[in-house]
């Protein structure tokens, strides 16, 4: 039985920016289509009202994901991105707000319960504060972790990490030391040859050189091939000649 669904197989962005810009009014800071998706940037203090309007009046029923972005050169260095899905229209929408370290973003846990976990992730990784979140704790980093590791100016060393020690039979804190060996790239072409000893080359230097060959062996005549007459005769045949197929069996 054929099952029909009201949602189109491929949703178009035609007219979406215009319609939503009119509906949201002055709270829209910027609107564009990028990589095939509609992206709206709205005023931070109105994000809860904006998402409620999109959910209740424009059929964007689901909050699929939230993400943070860090632009250290900006006065408000963080962007919080809300990814919405309309099940009935089969259409996705991205809504953004900007924030600084000391400018809280209103929580949207009043609209979608799953926002609680998503806001905790952005808080943990970037340090964005969500005002009104009832349980704004770290969710991915260790207990007592300091700093926010997805910030672009986060140092690779100087912090501590938590692990369970089998020797001490307890949880221990250790300094984080991230080796940078793999970041030392050699952009020399492999055909030019490196000016230093590559790992493993020292083993070749320890092996004795093979003895020189007094007289190189050549196959100038049929007897030097090591094959019998039957194999030599077949090799001399044109590739399309099938007359002796199976003789070598």
């Amino acid at each position: 039985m054929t099952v029909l669904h009201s949602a189109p197989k491929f949703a178009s962005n035609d007219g979406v920016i215009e319609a939503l810009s009119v509906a949201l009014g002055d709270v829209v800071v910027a609107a564009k289509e990028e990589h095939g998706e509609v992206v709206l940037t709205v005023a931070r203090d109105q994000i809860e009202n904006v998402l409620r309007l999109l959910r209740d009046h424009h059929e964007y029923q689901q909050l699929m994901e939230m993400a943070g972005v860090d632009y250290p050169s900006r006065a408000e260095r963080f962007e919080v991105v809300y990814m919405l899905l309309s099940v009935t229209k089969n259409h996705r929408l991205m809504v953004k707000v900007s924030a600084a370290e000391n400018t809280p973003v209103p929580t949207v846990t009043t609209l979608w319960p799953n926002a609680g976990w998503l806001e905790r992730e952005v808080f943990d990784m970037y340090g964005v504060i969500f005002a009104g979140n009832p349980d704004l704790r770290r969710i991915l980093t260790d207990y007592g972790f300091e700093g926010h590791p997805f910030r672009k100016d986060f140092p690779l060393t100087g912090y501590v990490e938590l692990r369970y020690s089998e020797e001490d039979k307890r949880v221990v804190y250790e300094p984080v030391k991230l080796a940078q060996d793999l970041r030392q790239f050699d952009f020399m072409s492999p055909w030019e040859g490196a000016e230093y000893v590559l790992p493993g080359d020292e083993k070749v230097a320890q092996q004795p050189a093979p003895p020189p060959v007094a007289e190189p062996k050549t196959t100038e005549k049929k007897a030097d091939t090591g094959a019998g007459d039957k194999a030599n005769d077949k090799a001399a045949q044109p590739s399309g000649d099938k007359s002796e197929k199976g003789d070598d069996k």
Side-chain angles (χ1 to χ4, degrees), residues 141-154:
T141 53
D142 294 333
Y143 300 106
F145 189 88
E146 297 180 4
H148 304 280
F150 276 10
R151 292 187 180 186
K152 292 183 178 179
D153 54 2
F154 184 77

Side-chain angles (χ1 to χ4, degrees), residues 141-190:
T141 53
D142 294 333
Y143 300 106
F145 189 88
E146 297 180 4
H148 304 280
F150 276 10
R151 292 187 180 186
K152 292 183 178 179
D153 54 2
F154 184 77
L156 296 182
T157 58
Y159 286 89
V160 295
E161 61 182 350
L162 176 148
R163 70 175 181 87
Y164 180 78
S165 173
E166 280 291 345
E167 298 177 358
D168 300 335
K169 301 300 181 183
R170 64 183 180 86
V171 174
V172 297
Y173 286 89
E174 294 179 338
V176 177
K177 294 182 179 179
L178 301 179
Q180 300 300 300
D181 297 344
L182 298 180
R183 296 195 179 191
Q184 304 299 324
F185 297 106
D186 183 358
F187 295 100
M188 182 182 297
S189 169

Side-chain angles (χ1 to χ4, degrees), residues 12 24 31 33-34 38 57 65 67 76 81 83 90 92 95 104 107 117 134 156 159 180 188 218 221 234 248:
S12 173
L24 298 175
E33 181 177 343
E34 189 172 29
V38 174
H57 299 281
E65 183 60 278
E76 293 186 339
V81 186
M83 304 172 195
N90 190 24
R92 295 182 182 272
V95 182
T107 184
W117 287 74
L156 296 182
Y159 286 89
Q180 300 300 300
M188 182 182 297
T218 60
K221 52 187 178 180
K234 187 173 182 181
D248 55 341

